[in-house]
Amino acid sequence: MYKLYYAPGSCALASHIALEEAGAAYTAERLDFKANQQNSPEYLAINPKGRVPSLVTDRGILTETPAMLAFIAQTFPQAKLAPLDDPFAFAQAQAFNSYLCSTVHVAHAHKGRGYRWATEETSFADMKRMVPNSVGACFALIERGMLRGPWVMGEHYTICDPYLYTIALWLEGDSVDLATLPKVADHVRRMSERPAVKKVMAEQKA
Amino acid sequence: MYKLYYAPGSCALASHIALEEAGAAYTAERLDFKANQQNSPEYLAINPKGRVPSLVTDRGILTETPAMLAFIAQTFPQAKLAPLDDPFAFAQAQAFNSYLCSTVHVAHAHKGRGYRWATEETSFADMKRMVPNSVGACFALIERGMLRGPWVMGEHYTICDPYLYTIALWLEGDSVDLATLPKVADHVRRMSERPAVKKVMAEQKA
């Protein structure tokens, strides 16, 4: 039995969907970010970084979305969530996820979490103004060259798909117009129709 | 035969060392960042993100350090650069590398690449002032809870080690005092004594 710590609206959604798609036995534990629960002593004992997601397993605790997604794919091979027998194809999937975590998510985070990298209100405002452009540029690259369609890696649904979906849900709040990104928009629609996604979204919104 | 595109002083060093440790047949191609070669049409055709590293293989091009490191470990299993037969241990190694790419490298990048996330000189200066604290906090976590010693994952050298070494080399320039990080300092010293590291450092400095 796995236990996933998440916060609604966070990137933990990707791992939540992957656990559901894999048919894993898990529970999902919500953290209240408004009450700063991610920085409570109890949660810092689970994840000293004070972030979500965290995945409690019988071997110990895992963090970091790309690592958790690969773990879920490898632990539930029958779900075929990654090209596990092909190191090159697996690396392509991992490269996509790495780009999402280190570049796309980071660009987005400058909208509301500028205090991670600066101290002045004027800097926060400057960062915030740039988000539509920086996130927009990332998604232009994704639209043009990374998202093969219908799924990220092509014909097969993989661990890249719930992660892209998760971050694409932030586009409206980041003032990036989905209408300029037809492949991404189609991907969001396809994702939202999957039973696993419907179930997880309902749980996170409950 | 692989071809690695790198720039001296960049995170491409991690993959360069890993290729050398793996005994891979490769060549290393240097880009001149001062001449903005990473944004030349020729290089953008290889990596549209305009970043290093890129790894040209006979199957196609790979990017993103954590993905390339896992690829090298999986492609050269005899080098034992990752716990390939244990998804949980592999995920722990990947989580460490994901933290380096999405949090530690990003904190560092605010020293000289603030233009990725803001437009004003005052913001760049503000970001720059925070780097010793933000990078320092990341490395305090690494020192306290992530670096098991003597290697990142404990007794066995893995793909986490050249990546940590690469980023630890930036600490002096980031005004983080290595003397406050004895385990990290010991790791840097151990790494610098490895023949593969000596060879790659000499090549990158030539």
Side-chain angles (χ1 to χ4, degrees):
Chain A
M1 177 68 92
Y2 298 97
K3 185 180 195 175
L4 175 76
Y5 285 89
Y6 77 97
S10 79
C11 66
L13 177 63
S15 300
H16 199 165
I17 294 171
L19 285 167
E20 189 65 36
E21 301 270 13
Y26 73 96
T27 57
E29 180 92 11
R30 189 185 310 201
L31 291 184
D32 184 351
F33 271 25
K34 282 182 188 139
N36 202 26
Q37 211 179 346
Q38 73 274 27
N39 287 314
S40 65
E42 293 76 17
Y43 187 68
L44 288 176
I46 292 162
N47 183 354
K49 293 177 268 189
R51 303 272 181 95
V52 291
S54 299
L55 186 67
V56 182
T57 82
D58 57 8
R59 294 274 303 278
I61 294 162
L62 292 176
T63 58
E64 305 289 335
T65 295
M68 286 168 54
L69 290 173
F71 173 75
I72 293 164
Q74 290 185 329
T75 306
F76 299 93
Q78 73 287 356
K80 296 186 193 302
L81 292 175
L84 300 176
D85 299 327
D86 181 341
F88 181 80
F90 183 64
Q92 289 184 306
Q94 291 227 104
F96 184 83
N97 285 350
S98 188
Y99 179 64
L100 292 184
C101 88
S102 64
T103 302
V104 192
H105 187 159
V106 168
H108 161 81
H110 283 75
K111 190 178 67 175
R113 311 219 185 267
Y115 55 82
R116 288 180 184 165
W117 306 289
T119 57
E120 305 292 334
E121 289 296 334
T122 51
S123 306
F124 302 158
D126 186 12
M127 290 172 175
K128 202 169 181 169
R129 279 193 302 273
M130 185 131 170
V131 166
N133 286 338
S134 57
V135 172
C138 292
F139 268 88
L141 272 180
I142 290 169
E143 174 82 16
R144 210 164 61 220
M146 296 184 194
L147 171 51
R148 298 178 190 172
W151 304 112
V152 173
M153 288 290 117
E155 292 303 315
H156 298 289
Y157 180 90
T158 68
I159 45 173
C160 301
D161 294 298
Y163 201 8
L164 176 61
Y165 174 68
T166 295
I167 295 189
L169 291 181
W170 301 340
L171 287 171
E172 190 180 343
D174 288 348
S175 303
V176 177
D177 186 0
L178 251 189
T180 65
L181 303 164
K183 288 173 76 177
V184 174
D186 181 62
H187 185 265
V188 169
R189 187 187 53 71
R190 279 172 192 275
M191 284 296 298
S192 67
E193 289 168 353
R194 293 179 73 88
V197 175
K198 285 183 180 172
K199 186 178 166 197
V200 168
M201 296 302 279
E203 183 175 350
Q204 291 211 359
K205 282 175 183 166
Chain B
M1 177 69 91
Y2 298 95
K3 185 180 196 176
L4 176 75
Y5 285 91
Y6 77 98
S10 78
C11 67
L13 177 63
S15 299
H16 199 165
I17 294 171
L19 284 167
E20 189 65 37
E21 301 270 14
Y26 73 95
T27 57
E29 180 93 10
R30 189 185 309 202
L31 292 184
D32 184 351
F33 271 25
K34 282 181 186 140
N36 202 26
Q37 212 179 342
Q38 74 273 28
N39 288 312
S40 65
E42 294 76 15
Y43 187 68
L44 289 175
I46 291 161
N47 182 355
K49 291 177 268 188
R51 303 272 181 96
V52 291
S54 299
L55 186 67
V56 183
T57 82
D58 58 6
R59 294 274 303 278
I61 293 161
L62 292 176
T63 59
E64 305 289 335
T65 295
M68 286 168 52
L69 290 173
F71 173 75
I72 293 164
Q74 290 184 329
T75 305
F76 299 93
Q78 74 286 356
K80 298 187 191 300
L81 292 174
L84 300 175
D85 298 327
D86 180 341
F88 181 79
F90 183 65
Q92 289 184 306
Q94 291 226 104
F96 184 83
N97 285 350
S98 188
Y99 180 63
L100 292 184
C101 87
S102 64
T103 302
V104 192
H105 187 160
V106 168
H108 161 80
H110 283 74
K111 188 177 68 174
R113 311 222 185 264
Y115 56 81
R116 288 179 183 164
W117 306 289
T119 58
E120 306 292 334
E121 290 296 333
T122 51
S123 307
F124 301 158
D126 186 12
M127 291 172 174
K128 204 168 180 170
R129 279 194 301 273
M130 185 129 168
V131 167
N133 286 338
S134 56
V135 172
C138 292
F139 268 88
L141 271 180
I142 290 169
E143 174 82 16
R144 210 165 61 221
M146 296 185 193
L147 171 50
R148 297 178 191 173
W151 305 112
V152 173
M153 287 291 116
E155 291 304 314
H156 298 289
Y157 181 89
T158 68
I159 45 173
C160 301
D161 294 299
Y163 201 7
L164 176 62
Y165 174 68
T166 295
I167 295 189
L169 291 181
W170 300 340
L171 287 172
E172 191 180 342
D174 288 349
S175 302
V176 176
D177 186 0
L178 250 190
T180 64
L181 303 165
K183 288 173 76 177
V184 173
D186 180 63
H187 185 265
V188 169
R189 186 188 52 72
R190 279 172 192 276
M191 284 296 298
S192 67
E193 289 167 354
R194 293 179 74 88
V197 175
K198 286 183 180 172
K199 187 179 166 198
V200 168
M201 294 303 279
E203 183 174 350
Q204 291 211 357
K205 283 175 183 168

